[in-house]
Amino acid sequence: MTLRLTNTLSHRCEPFEPLQPGQVSIYCCGVTVYDLCHLGHARSYIVWDVLRRFLVWSGYAVTFVQNFTDIDDKILKRAEEEGSSMAVVSERNIAAYQADMAALHILPPDRMPRATRSLEAIRALISELEAKGAAYSADGDVYFSVMRRADYGKLSGRTLEEQQEGASGRTREAEEARKRHPFDFALWKGAKPGEPSFPSPWGPGRPGWHIECSAMVREELGTTIDIHLGGADLIFPHHENEIAQSEAASGQPLARYWLHNGMVNVGGEKMSKSLGNFTTIRALLESGVSPMTLRLFVLQAHYRKPLDFTSEALAAAATGWKGLDGALGLGERHGAALGWGADPATATLEHSEVLAEARGRFAAAMDDDLNTSAAVAVLFELARPLRALANRLERGEREAGAAAEAGELEPRWRLLRELAGVLGLEAEKATPPAATAADGAAIQERIEARRAAKAARDFASADRIRAELATEGIELIDRPGGVTDWVRS
């Protein structure tokens, strides 16, 4: 199959054809660094990390650029509240962002431009727009003239009559009177007395939000790029305005493909600080949720659909990840005992027909507009016999035939690791030690004692044994026929 992506610009799922064969240029709208990142950011950046990983796995050379918006009214407001500066607020939150993304196993972008370091490019772009008659200055502000773009609204599909809500982006209400048209938006904002500012031909001030990204795209990747990424909340006005100003300056398309991820809801409601359901990535991870559980939770839904965050859904993802983690970690935890080579190059990686078919279904799912839900299902299928072997090894069992079975499972494990890596999933590093045969015998004795207690209807003693084992990280699994297995939790 050929990779197909849903292009917001055309409102269709289209075959992906890059500008240059074998090369892909991507710009991802980054965070405005006035606060910690939240679950919406986690959803967006996990999804786009997977897109990037899949393109690389598919053989493309990818250049991935993501910006920091470090000049913005929200940052200025936070600095005023703290009695600090925009630079202090920005640097603190940039460091926090990088730590959060590393925790979520998100690859760092190839380049991360900042608005404060792109001011020359921003001023140059505004000057070009003014020279072309697409922008005008008024009392130290500069505005983009929306009426000069007949195709304004082509990304969002909004008519001019529908665009008044949010059309001014992050401009101040007092600026409206200086506009020639109510839908015009600020490219440069003149500074009020006492505000931090930067020099420009129009007087001291700071750039508007939308022009920052247009300038950084052009400076880092050129006039036209392959893919522009962001959340659905950025379609209008931010991305609509990016298209208008960039294409007014260059006369060329800004991006061939526009991809947008769906929003995050919490318990069926839109996540919002005002509703009290706002959760940061930092708080979630500190509560004990593993980064891989969060990745798996995000990837079990299609990227374009809303994602409903509930404790029940997260618990289900944690259970799923526990099994997948056991299979992924099999080689690292038991590879030496199983006789598996540490170097993949030393192992036989010839896939059986079953494994080749699984690999093909994984690729087909990802080619189908990044259907990560179907791709994850392939991982669980591959993991099932590996997890079963891992459970037996954790119990200290070394039954006859295990070596032969392990030899057959090594290619499956290596394929599982490869495909999981495309989704950014990897075995947890901090794992309990494997049980020795003596450990297994001692645990089995306690299981027998519990079985005897249940037979004598001494359920209190049976529950106590289960609870004691649970505190030691041993989970009992009662199966039909009176059989009880155990795994390390």
Side-chain angles (χ1 to χ4, degrees), residues 49-62 107 351 355-356 358-367 375 378-379 414-423:
D49 179 63
V50 168
L51 169 64
R52 178 187 183 184
R53 289 171 182 268
F54 179 63
L55 288 169
V56 171
W57 183 73
S58 300
Y60 290 101
V62 178
L107 297 171
H351 296 158
L355 297 187
R359 183 189 180 97
R361 283 190 288 115
F362 177 90
M366 295 297 287
D367 278 336
V378 175
L379 298 190
R414 294 197 180 280
L415 177 61
L416 174 64
R417 280 209 317 174
E418 176 190 345
L419 301 186
V422 177
L423 302 183

Side-chain angles (χ1 to χ4, degrees), residues 3-16 26 28 39-52 54-55 226-235 239 256-265 294-308 364-376 423:
L3 173 61
R4 296 176 61 83
L5 298 170
T6 296
N7 189 347
T8 307
L9 186 62
S10 66
H11 310 292
R12 297 194 306 269
C13 192
E14 304 175 347
F16 175 66
I26 300 177
C28 179
L39 289 180
H41 295 124
R43 200 264 173 104
S44 186
Y45 298 136
I46 286 172
V47 164
W48 304 139
D49 179 63
V50 168
L51 169 64
R52 178 187 183 184
F54 179 63
L55 288 169
D226 288 302
I227 303 174
H228 199 306
L229 305 172
D233 58 323
L234 298 180
I235 295 174
H239 288 169
R256 290 166 59 87
Y257 300 85
W258 289 82
L259 274 59
H260 295 92
N261 63 272
M263 305 308 293
V264 172
N265 297 324
L294 183 56
R295 278 191 83 106
L296 183 61
F297 169 70
V298 167
L299 297 177
Q300 286 178 316
H302 194 277
Y303 78 92
R304 290 189 296 108
K305 296 180 179 179
L307 179 65
D308 196 18
M366 295 297 287
D367 278 336
D368 183 19
D369 197 22
L370 298 184
N371 187 350
T372 55
S373 175
V376 165
L423 302 183

Side-chain angles (χ1 to χ4, degrees), residues 137-312:
S137 59
D139 299 328
D141 293 342
V142 182
Y143 297 99
F144 183 85
S145 181
V146 170
M147 300 305 291
R148 295 297 300 268
R149 298 294 301 173
D151 61 356
Y152 186 75
K154 64 181 179 180
L155 182 70
S156 62
R158 295 188 181 203
T159 65
L160 284 177
E161 289 75 19
E162 297 171 325
Q163 289 171 6
Q164 187 155 6
E165 183 180 353
S168 58
R170 301 184 182 187
T171 60
R172 298 184 295 261
E173 290 184 8
E175 298 171 355
E176 300 299 311
R178 295 196 288 274
K179 295 181 182 181
R180 295 177 181 172
H181 192 282
F183 302 152
D184 293 350
F185 56 89
L187 303 176
W188 188 265
K189 306 176 183 181
K192 291 182 177 180
E195 284 186 343
S197 63
F198 306 90
S200 81
W202 312 280
R206 56 187 184 277
W209 176 33
H210 314 302
I211 197 67
E212 294 176 359
C213 280
S214 284
M216 286 186 274
V217 170
R218 187 169 75 164
E219 187 174 42
E220 296 289 345
L221 295 170
T223 299
T224 303
I225 65 173
D226 288 302
I227 303 174
H228 199 306
L229 305 172
D233 58 323
L234 298 180
I235 295 174
F236 186 87
H238 185 49
H239 288 169
E240 194 76 77
N241 291 350
E242 271 193 71
I243 289 175
Q245 61 204 9
S246 293
E247 297 184 1
S250 70
Q252 301 297 321
L254 173 55
R256 290 166 59 87
Y257 300 85
W258 289 82
L259 274 59
H260 295 92
N261 63 272
M263 305 308 293
V264 172
N265 297 324
V266 178
E269 293 186 299
K270 180 180 178 181
M271 188 175 67
S272 167
K273 288 184 178 179
S274 62
L275 294 176
N277 62 2
F278 184 86
T279 304
T280 65
I281 297 171
R282 185 72 51 88
L284 187 65
L285 298 183
E286 288 178 350
S287 74
V289 175
S290 85
M292 292 296 107
T293 291
L294 183 56
R295 278 191 83 106
L296 183 61
F297 169 70
V298 167
L299 297 177
Q300 286 178 316
H302 194 277
Y303 78 92
R304 290 189 296 108
K305 296 180 179 179
L307 179 65
D308 196 18
F309 184 88
T310 66
S311 57
E312 294 80 9

Side-chain angles (χ1 to χ4, degrees), residues 73-100:
D73 289 352
K74 290 183 178 180
I75 303 172
L76 176 59
K77 180 181 179 182
R78 182 60 54 87
E80 291 174 343
E81 292 170 351
E82 297 178 355
S84 61
S85 67
M86 285 204 299
V88 168
V89 172
S90 296
E91 291 299 330
R92 180 181 71 239
N93 287 302
I94 286 172
Y97 165 88
Q98 291 170 334
D100 289 346

Side-chain angles (χ1 to χ4, degrees), residues 426-448:
E426 64 176 13
E428 302 277 6
K429 301 300 182 185
T431 57
T436 65
D439 292 333
I443 292 168
Q444 196 61 42
E445 286 181 9
R446 295 163 76 181
I447 290 174
E448 292 301 326

